[in-house]
Amino acid sequence: MTAQIELKNIDKHYGAFHALKKVSLSIEKGSFVALVGPSGCGKSTLLRSIAGLETITSGDLHIAGKEMTGVPPRHRDIAMVFQSYALYPHMTVEENLTYSLRLHGVGKAEAKAKAAEVAATTGLSALLSRYPRQLSGGQRQRVAMGRAIIRNPKAFLFDEPLSNLDAALRVQMRKEIRALHDRLGATSVYVTHDQIEAMTMADWVVVMRDGVIEQQGRPLDLYDQPVNRFVAGFIGSPAMNFVDGVISEDGRGVVVGAGDRIPLARQAEPNRKVVAGVRPENLRVAEGAASFHFEVGNVESTGSATYLTSKDGALQLVQTERLGFSVGDRVGLDIDPALVHLFDPQTGARI
Amino acid sequence: MGVIMETGPAVGGLMRRFLASLRDGVGFDILLVGAAMVFLIAMAGLPLIYNVLMSFQQVDMFTLGSLIRPWAGFQNYIDVVREPAFWLVAKNTFIFVFFSMGGQFVIGFALALFFAQNFPGASTIRGLFLVSWVMPGLVVGAIWSWILAGDFGVLNTILKGLGIIQSNVFWKSDPAFSIWAVVIANIWLGLAFNMLLLSVGLAAIPRDLYEAAELDGANALQRFWTITLPMMRSTIGAVLSLGLIGTLQQFDLFPAITEGGPANTSTVAQYWSWQMSFQLYDFAKGATISVMMLVLVLIASIIYVRSTRHEVRG
């Protein structure tokens, strides 16, 4: 495997604002990488820097082994799908698809044939003579994708491409984009604020915050081994519960209240203040003696799952069975000690 | 007595209902539309019809005061075309309209593109350009009259300093240059308006279209031809149509700079029409010339309305 896109110590300043701080990232050829993080974390800036739409303040950027720092976007051989799709409103679908080919002097007949081919793979064959304003959101999305793939570029960049679609279509397009990626053997970089999209689509997830890469890795590794409290809280839905506590005298549990203690699978430093992280789906309602308790503040049932939220809002629990609890009930809880994460209360780093 | 007793309350009820509808019903809308209609008909519609009517009548000192005058048919139009100055004025009008609009549009577009580049102070400086548009035509004319003056004008001084001309050019009194003197002043006067409208059109083009085009491989010139121009289609149509109307309306500069001279070499249709009516008191010919211009403006207006109907955005 070779790196198709290689970023080394990328810095980006907007005036006084430090948008990207020494970002280094290597994107393998053929991989699907998701950049994920809250708004303003720098993920879009990073993507636009790869495209050349933003100039980086310092650092090295290589695409397919070539230095790209000073190269204008049109010479980078990269395709991008915009959040707004950025279809050319005054061109038909076919003209939108063939725009780049026509710019590069490809003959009319050849461009037409290629457009037909791409339209067939993206399901646009019947729409070639329409204008973008005559298309639905999902169809526009497909045109944007078609416009990207017709060029056979070195990499595909996606900037939150699904955020303007309704929920059902989003799930469908998620699969289509991933299937397309696999079929083309393309290299894709996908920016999203939706961690579900990142987890389900990508081979490699990069979590960013405040211009810094907090963690990168395979989706399930991020879920199982978050390096800090931010990543732990960001990945997974519903979000991980965080409970303040102190490690017990014997170092085998976290004392979180009167008589309540979350068990640990390993020995920890006694009397140390920690934040225990437990995922809502890992909590179980205790059948026998419970290790800790909470008071039910809210019960939500979706049919397939039951969500219980504690009275103080600090804890949430998801169970796939139907639970007959009501507000005010005191519930005993249990957890597999191996699934408890510990974080430092000051730095948020994993312990 | 009994009759009045019966109708009184009915009339009162009608009145009340009418007043109520004025306050919060459809009556208020009719009142507003009505006021505008009355104003339009009285101040624009009737004079326009009267003007068209006059162009088909024989008008002289004896019939000036009456509405119904001897019918002339197209005789006034024939007479106007047969005037010795007609073709000269037509040529001048064409030069004035074509080059004023062309200059205003090209330079205005260039400035609009320049100020769209988002450098510090761009919008402030662009705002300052509006000063030229706010200034009265007579004042602009007076200033340009000085700039273009043959013996003491600053333009001649600059051109001589740059070595472009050897001796003074008499812009206003040389028959070869007189119409161009007014064209230059008019370009300056209308520049800001063109730039402003085109700036608005430019600002309405989404930035990401340019980014998409850039990634698709378009260089700056290709982006201009394939994105900017087609996206500006309706704006350009509007600017050119309004430019035509504005140029055909331009009057103030002529009395201030050349007074149509020398020997009608800078007379244009609108100035000629005014001369006919208010200097020679040949109201029929004056009206006829203005009706000819009206037809031109009407054509431009139709093009303008159609171009705004063809919005491509979205």
Side-chain angles (χ1 to χ4, degrees), chain A residues 14-311:
Chain A
Y14 291 107
F17 179 63
H18 202 168
L20 295 173
K21 299 164 189 160
K22 293 256 173 287
V23 172
S24 294
L25 178 64
S26 180
I27 293 168
E28 301 292 330
K29 196 178 167 94
S31 65
F32 195 116
V33 174
L35 304 179
V36 66
S39 330
C41 70
K43 56 190 189 299
S44 279
T45 306
L46 186 61
L47 191 80
R48 293 169 58 82
S49 301
I50 296 172
L53 298 173
E54 304 281 350
T55 51
I56 51 180
T57 313
S58 67
D60 284 329
L61 167 62
H62 286 79
I63 296 172
K66 281 200 211 93
E67 170 64 42
M68 285 288 164
T69 312
V71 177
R74 64 198 163 93
H75 292 146
R76 292 194 182 194
D77 193 14
I78 269 187
M80 185 155 161
V81 176
F82 291 80
Q83 182 173 4
S84 61
Y85 316 137
L87 302 181
Y88 310 122
H90 54 291
M91 299 183 198
T92 62
V93 169
E94 184 170 19
E95 286 164 344
N96 264 283
L97 291 177
T98 57
Y99 181 71
S100 61
L101 301 181
R102 286 182 282 135
L103 285 175
H104 289 98
V106 174
K108 248 193 190 135
E110 195 187 331
K112 225 175 156 63
K114 267 215 131 158
E117 188 189 315
V118 167
T121 53
T122 46
L124 292 167
S125 297
L127 307 170
L128 281 175
S129 56
R130 297 240 190 127
Y131 284 93
R133 64 176 180 279
Q134 299 168 312
L135 301 177
S136 69
Q139 290 166 337
R140 290 180 196 191
Q141 166 72 51
R142 288 205 179 88
V143 177
M145 305 256 298
R147 197 172 61 180
I149 61 183
I150 200 164
R151 286 169 42 202
N152 197 17
K154 293 210 177 72
F156 292 99
L157 308 181
F158 297 89
D159 191 2
E160 310 220 12
L162 303 184
S163 49
N164 289 340
L165 301 179
D166 62 59
L169 201 51
R170 204 148 52 207
V171 172
Q172 185 196 336
M173 288 309 293
R174 219 151 74 185
K175 295 198 185 80
E176 283 187 27
I177 291 176
R178 179 66 217 208
L180 206 59
H181 167 90
D182 291 337
R183 196 166 49 205
L184 297 170
T187 307
S188 302
V189 186
Y190 189 102
V191 160
T192 177
H193 62 268
D194 180 354
Q195 54 93 20
I196 302 251
E197 267 176 30
M199 296 288 283
T200 52
M201 296 173 78
D203 311 315
W204 194 259
V205 175
V206 179
V207 182
M208 294 184 69
R209 179 173 61 160
D210 295 338
V212 174
I213 293 179
E214 294 280 350
Q215 188 176 5
Q216 51 176 308
R218 284 193 296 266
L220 292 184
D221 291 346
L222 262 58
Y223 179 86
D224 293 334
Q225 301 282 323
V227 294
N228 57 34
R229 187 178 162 166
F230 171 76
V231 174
F234 195 80
I235 299 288
S237 171
M240 186 186 275
N241 297 303
F242 296 105
V243 189
D244 290 321
V246 182
I247 303 287
S248 59
E249 292 290 343
D250 61 359
R252 303 292 299 191
V254 183
V255 179
V256 293
D260 281 354
R261 103 183 214 156
I262 298 172
L264 291 176
R266 60 197 161 90
Q267 189 75 31
E269 181 192 329
N271 297 324
R272 180 172 175 178
K273 277 192 177 171
V274 292
V275 175
V278 286
R279 294 199 181 274
E281 57 272 30
N282 293 337
L283 284 171
R284 288 189 311 264
V285 175
E287 275 153 22
S291 41
F292 58 107
H293 302 83
F294 83 168
E295 195 180 336
V296 177
N298 188 14
V299 184
E300 293 159 301
S301 196
T302 62
S304 62
T306 309
Y307 295 76
L308 299 182
T309 310
S310 67
K311 194 142 205 179

